[in-house]
Amino acid sequence: MSQDRHDGPDNSLWRDGREHTPAGWQMALPAGAAPRLHLVLANPGAAPVAQDYAQDAAFWSQPARTLLP
């Protein structure tokens, strides 16, 4: 997942200057397996929180909920 900071806090992909990048995600589509989601939430002033989710039948059968705090 890109957390590019090459062009500084206001002009990079992952920003933490005047504007913030609140989230990033990456999908993997492995052959013969359920897709996987890697999710990062980056609220200003808090440490980023990352979690991985298999997008399998068990994931889709659970009730709607908030994935990360």
Side-chain angles (χ1 to χ4, degrees):
M1 180 173 316
S2 179
Q3 291 187 2
D4 165 65
R5 292 182 174 96
H6 179 267
D7 294 315
D10 296 316
N11 296 313
S12 297
L13 185 60
W14 197 261
R15 298 178 182 165
D16 58 2
R18 291 186 311 267
E19 301 286 330
H20 286 79
T21 302
W25 61 90
Q26 183 177 41
M27 289 295 301
L29 303 171
R36 298 194 61 80
L37 168 66
H38 178 72
L39 176 63
V40 178
L41 293 182
N43 291 312
V49 177
Q51 186 74 33
D52 291 303
Y53 299 96
Q55 306 292 290
D56 56 12
F59 176 85
W60 294 108
S61 67
Q62 57 188 319
R65 63 184 175 90
T66 300
L67 294 178
L68 291 172

